[in-house]
C-alpha cells in the first residue's frame, strides 16, 4: 500500500481505490459489507488523500455559516422566515437581514438558534 502521495498521478490512483471501496459498499448495502482489512485500507487511503489535499492541493474545508445552517433547518422544518421570526420572538425584518448577511447575529438570535432549532452551542461559538 502507498505510504505517501507524492504527485497528482498517485493522488488520482488513491482516489480511484477509494471510489472502488465506496462503490463496493454502496452495491452491498453499506460499509459493513467491507471486510476489516478493506475498511482499514479505505481509512488509510482517505487519510493520505486528505493530507495531500490539505498540504499540496490546498483544498480547504468549506466554512459552514450559522446562516446556512439556519436556512437548512428552515427548509427541513418546512417553515417560512416569518414563522421562524415568530418562533424566535423577533421581527421578520431582523431575521431576514441576519440570514442575508446584512446584519450580524446578536446574542438573542444565537440563543434562539440553539434553543429553538437545536443547533449545537459549540458550533455556534466556533462561528461568531
Amino acid at each position: 500500500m502507498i505510504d505517501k502521495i507524492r504527485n497528482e498521478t498517485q493522488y488520482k490512483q488513491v482516489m480511484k481505490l477509494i471510489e472502488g471501496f465506496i462503490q463496493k459498499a454502496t452495491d452491498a448495502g453499506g460499509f459493513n459489507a467491507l471486510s476489516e482489512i478493506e475498511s482499514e485500507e479505505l481509512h488509510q487511503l482517505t487519510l493520505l488523500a486528505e493530507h495531500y489535499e490539505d498540504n499540496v492541493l490546498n483544498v480547504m474545508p468549506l466554512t459552514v455559516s450559522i446562516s446556512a445552517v439556519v436556512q437548512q433547518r428552515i427548509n427541513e422544518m418546512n417553515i417560512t422566515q416569518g414563522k421562524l421570526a415568530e418562533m424566535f420572538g423577533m421581527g421578520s425584518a431582523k431575521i431576514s437581514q441576519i440570514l442575508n448577511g446584512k446584519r450580524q447575529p446578536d446574542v438573542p438570535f444565537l440563543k434562539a438558534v440553539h434553543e429553538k432549532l437545536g443547533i449545537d452551542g459549540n458550533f455556534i461559538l466556533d462561528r461568531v
Side-chain angles (χ1 to χ4, degrees):
M1 185 160 103
I2 299 171
D3 64 338
K4 182 178 181 180
I5 300 174
R6 292 172 177 77
N7 55 49
E8 190 171 342
T9 301
Q10 286 181 336
Y11 172 73
K12 288 179 181 179
Q13 291 171 341
V14 165
M15 293 307 292
K16 272 195 181 293
L17 291 170
I18 291 171
E19 290 168 10
F21 284 125
I22 291 172
Q23 188 62 53
K24 180 178 180 179
T26 301
D27 293 345
F31 285 98
N32 59 341
L34 297 178
S35 71
E36 192 173 318
I37 293 170
E38 290 171 325
S39 292
E40 182 58 30
E41 186 173 350
L42 175 59
H43 177 71
Q44 293 303 318
L45 290 171
T46 57
L47 291 176
L48 289 172
E50 180 182 21
H51 184 267
Y52 186 80
E53 290 168 352
D54 289 347
N55 296 298
V56 177
L57 299 179
N58 293 320
V59 176
M60 301 301 290
L62 295 175
T63 303
V64 179
S65 67
I66 292 172
S67 176
V69 171
V70 171
Q71 291 281 15
Q72 178 63 34
R73 191 59 57 95
I74 287 171
N75 292 337
E76 290 170 1
M77 296 172 70
N78 198 26
I79 62 172
T80 64
Q81 284 185 11
K83 179 66 177 168
L84 182 72
E86 189 179 305
M87 285 173 57
F88 283 14
M90 297 175 187
S92 56
K94 177 180 178 178
I95 297 292
S96 178
Q97 290 172 343
I98 292 172
L99 295 180
N100 290 311
K102 296 179 179 171
R103 181 176 182 166
Q104 291 295 318
D106 57 10
V107 172
F109 175 83
L110 297 172
K111 186 175 179 183
V113 166
H114 174 68
E115 291 177 351
K116 305 290 185 184
L117 300 182
I119 306 298
D120 181 63
N122 289 325
F123 172 85
I124 294 169
L125 289 173
D126 286 343
R127 279 148 183 88
V128 291

